[in-house]
Amino acid sequence: MFTQHEQSLSIFVHRASELLTDSESHGDGLICFSLLDGLARRGHKICAFTNRAVIRDASPNLEVRAERHRIPLNSLAPWEYGWRADRWFRNLGGADRFDLVWRMHPYNDFGCPRPPYTSGAPLVLGPLFYSWPADASRSAPLSRPRLGIGLKPLLAPIAKNGWKRTAANAALILCATATHRDEIQRQSPHCRAVALPVIVDPPTSVTRRAATDGKITLAFVGNLVGSKNPMIFCETIKLLRDLGQNVLGIIVGDGPERREMELYCWTHQLDPFVCFHGKVPNPRVYALLEWTDLLVSTSFGEPYGRGIAEAMSVGVPAVCHASGGPRDFIEHGRTGILVQKLDARAYARAIQEVASQPSALRDLSENARLKAREWK
């Protein structure tokens, strides 16, 4: 679509993730940054609006403006962000300066409550991922309105209609997987929908250490929140060790579930075998993956899984639930393992089977790395 051989484009990004970053552990923020910075380094001029930015190294062609919302009602934040982005677009010259307006992932129907102002410039949407299913976690998270009065039930229908109008105005919609692309194309036959795989460029310095002496190291990388079901990872470690498997666990991330996970590991004498690294910069994640044999994702309906793609790019295959994005881009038994049931026993069985076959583990590793190379 955009190559360095074509004429340079001037692009206004109406919303570039909640957190645009090249280093924080924020999947969508890393995905959006890699796309925008990659285009900027190829000569395209980009102005991107976001809630928050943590960027260490960006192209001079990428100008980022981050503004937090000021209205004390969180339900109105999407409207405020849209208004602020529109104002900046007008101040910069609008369609007289920009060739297109780009609205990135909306974070469900509530994230884009009205179409961006484009002044006649073509509108691009995406990359779009699947939405989290309503029953994504085994326990419902606790959430309370800031002022005790929730407006979301009243505003949700308006916001959902706004996203539909936004999609109706789009000239091009980018989707993370081909299966999702086909679904979106059926919903929006008026425009062109294309598949744009998540691009992963791992550090060249990463050298993965293969499993030795029958020892298997498993990693969980992600926020320790209910929708990620991280306790299943700890339960899986326990089951494997009870079965005599010499398995170690690495947990990278932080969140409200951590305390319960640490208590579980202490209660079941797993402390010597499970290491909590907390939240670390994204480059550090790759360094930890050097010592990992399998990445374990315990999400149900993971919208895509940037961490899974990163692990695959350095030859660490993933064990995932067969839902959401992983179901689309992982080939079971070849580039990773898809588990049909979301419980520790199913994960333990799948891991034990591949751990007992060193050649199968090596094949999974190489196939995962080659698959991720296609996403460059």
Side-chain angles (χ1 to χ4, degrees):
M1 181 174 62
F2 308 115
T3 74
Q4 58 193 114
H5 303 294
E6 296 174 350
Q7 181 180 355
S8 175
L9 293 173
S10 184
I11 303 169
F12 182 81
V13 183
H14 191 268
R15 182 86 177 278
S17 181
E18 294 176 325
L19 168 61
L20 191 63
T21 183
D22 62 351
S23 54
E24 289 287 307
S25 55
H26 189 281
D28 183 56
L30 292 164
I31 290 170
C32 291
F33 178 82
S34 65
L35 288 172
L36 298 182
D37 192 60
L39 291 172
R41 293 182 186 276
R42 287 163 175 79
H44 303 288
K45 309 293 184 181
I46 300 174
C47 292
F49 184 88
T50 183
N51 305 25
R52 183 167 158 253
V54 179
I55 299 172
R56 297 179 176 181
D57 180 29
S59 165
N61 289 328
L62 175 58
E63 179 183 354
V64 177
R65 171 172 288 194
E67 295 186 20
R68 295 195 178 230
H69 78 96
R70 300 171 188 172
I71 298 175
L73 296 173
N74 289 337
S75 297
L76 295 176
W79 276 269
E80 183 182 355
Y81 284 126
W83 172 76
R84 291 179 179 276
D86 288 345
R87 184 179 63 176
W88 189 35
F89 177 69
R90 289 185 172 95
N91 290 342
L92 289 171
D96 292 335
R97 174 178 169 183
F98 294 99
D99 297 298
L100 61 90
V101 174
W102 190 349
R103 180 53 165 86
M104 304 188 95
H105 184 57
Y107 292 98
N108 65 50
D109 294 335
F110 204 83
C112 184
R114 61 179 183 79
Y117 176 71
T118 67
S119 188
L123 176 63
V124 176
L125 300 181
L128 302 186
F129 317 113
Y130 293 108
S131 298
W132 282 105
D135 53 346
S137 65
R138 297 189 297 178
S139 60
L142 180 63
S143 177
R144 294 179 181 177
R146 180 184 293 184
L147 300 180
I149 302 173
L151 296 179
K152 192 170 182 177
L154 298 175
L155 297 175
I158 301 173
K160 187 173 183 179
N161 184 60
W163 172 242
K164 288 181 178 179
R165 290 189 291 118
T166 301
N169 291 345
L172 179 67
I173 300 180
L174 311 173
C175 303
T177 69
T179 303
H180 196 202
R181 183 242 358 244
D182 295 342
E183 177 184 323
I184 294 297
Q185 189 68 82
R186 287 191 296 270
Q187 296 173 4
S188 305
H190 62 280
C191 71
R192 183 187 178 201
V194 299
L196 179 71
V198 168
I199 301 166
V200 178
D201 291 314
T204 56
S205 59
V206 174
T207 303
R208 183 171 167 272
R209 278 74 166 172
T212 57
D213 301 328
K215 183 187 298 181
I216 297 294
T217 300
L218 308 178
F220 179 97
V221 179
N223 295 320
L224 306 185
V225 295
S227 61
K228 301 285 187 178
N229 300 300
M231 184 60 77
I232 292 179
F233 179 79
C234 297
E235 294 168 353
T236 300
I237 297 286
K238 179 183 182 301
L239 285 174
L240 287 169
R241 294 202 64 85
D242 288 347
L243 292 169
Q245 186 73 53
N246 188 5
V247 61
L248 303 178
I250 295 174
I251 298 174
V252 182
D254 210 340
E257 302 285 311
R258 178 170 176 170
R259 184 175 180 180
E260 183 181 354
M261 295 168 68
E262 290 176 328
L263 179 61
Y264 179 91
C265 291
W266 178 79
T267 302
H268 294 89
Q269 291 82 51
L270 295 177
D271 287 22
F273 313 110
V274 179
C275 182
F276 288 81
H277 288 270
K279 183 179 179 181
V280 302
N282 199 59
R284 173 68 178 150
V285 174
Y286 283 107
L288 292 170
L289 287 174
E290 291 187 11
W291 304 94
T292 299
D293 299 293
L294 291 167
L295 180 82
V296 179
S297 171
T298 51
S299 299
F300 171 65
E302 177 73 44
Y304 185 82
R306 165 80 185 199
I308 297 169
E310 288 179 345
M312 291 174 66
S313 74
V314 293
V316 179
V319 183
C320 310
H321 186 258
S323 59
R327 176 188 55 197
D328 286 359
F329 68 81
I330 289 179
E331 183 181 350
H332 177 66
R334 179 171 173 77
T335 61
I337 302 296
L338 295 176
V339 178
Q340 299 297 324
K341 193 173 182 181
L342 190 67
D343 64 37
R345 291 189 181 281
Y347 275 82
R349 283 195 299 269
I351 292 169
Q352 187 179 38
E353 182 177 349
V354 70
S356 65
Q357 306 175 60
S359 61
L361 188 56
R362 287 194 297 270
D363 288 345
L364 279 175
S365 172
E366 180 61 13
N367 291 335
R369 187 183 63 82
L370 292 175
K371 180 65 176 180
R373 184 182 293 179
E374 299 175 7
W375 302 330
K376 292 180 180 295

